[in-house]
Amino acid sequence: MGKVVRLYWGYMVAAALVVAWSQQWALPVIVALSVGVSAYAAFQVPVWCGAVNRDGRTYCRNNAYGVLMGCSKRQHRWQKIKMIVVRSKVGNVSRSVFPTAKEKFNGALAVGGLLSAVAAVIVPVVTGG
């Protein structure tokens, strides 16, 4: 049970974030939960590596942690982040970072967490609350 909680704690935090928004919890709590969800999805959620193999056509299917991180192979560790920065590789980003529906969901979770954190900071400024 402890291993399951250690691997998937971010989904519980995401559920708590939904409850926090619906019950209008304090904004620092919402920001903390949002950052936690984004960090979990970007750096800790169990996914496939998805880095481009040496043949240039297939993607690595090794286990990795986080949508942005690669597997244990040294060459794959920063390949995804490099693809975002290097202009000629931008077209391969969606295929390598999001090869399956699970990775697409976790990517949406990361973006949703970031948007939630931004909204938790911006909404009180705009509404004066």
Side-chain angles (χ1 to χ4, degrees):
M1 182 67 173
K3 182 178 181 179
V4 171
V5 172
R6 188 174 57 242
L7 285 176
Y8 298 108
W9 64 268
Y11 295 119
M12 292 181 273
V13 174
L17 179 61
V18 170
V19 171
W21 273 108
S22 65
Q23 299 295 319
Q24 297 178 352
W25 289 2
L27 291 177
V29 174
I30 292 175
V31 170
L33 290 172
S34 301
V35 170
V37 167
S38 295
Y40 171 76
F43 301 110
Q44 194 176 2
V45 67
V47 293
W48 287 338
C49 174
V52 178
N53 289 323
R54 290 183 185 220
D55 64 5
R57 294 178 308 199
T58 60
Y59 298 99
C60 179
R61 305 272 293 202
N62 291 337
N63 292 330
Y65 292 101
V67 173
L68 295 179
M69 301 307 293
C71 64
S72 61
K73 293 182 181 177
R74 184 176 52 156
Q75 184 179 10
H76 292 182
R77 287 187 188 146
W78 294 102
Q79 184 178 0
K80 290 183 187 179
I81 294 175
K82 281 191 230 174
M83 278 193 293
I84 294 170
V85 175
V86 177
R87 193 168 202 178
S88 64
K89 300 289 184 177
V90 172
N92 295 332
V93 170
S94 69
R95 282 190 303 257
S96 65
V97 175
F98 309 117
T100 66
K102 181 180 178 183
E103 280 82 7
K104 288 176 185 164
F105 173 75
N106 290 322
L109 192 67
V111 171
L114 285 175
L115 290 176
S116 174
V118 169
V121 173
I122 299 293
V123 167
V125 172
V126 172
T127 61

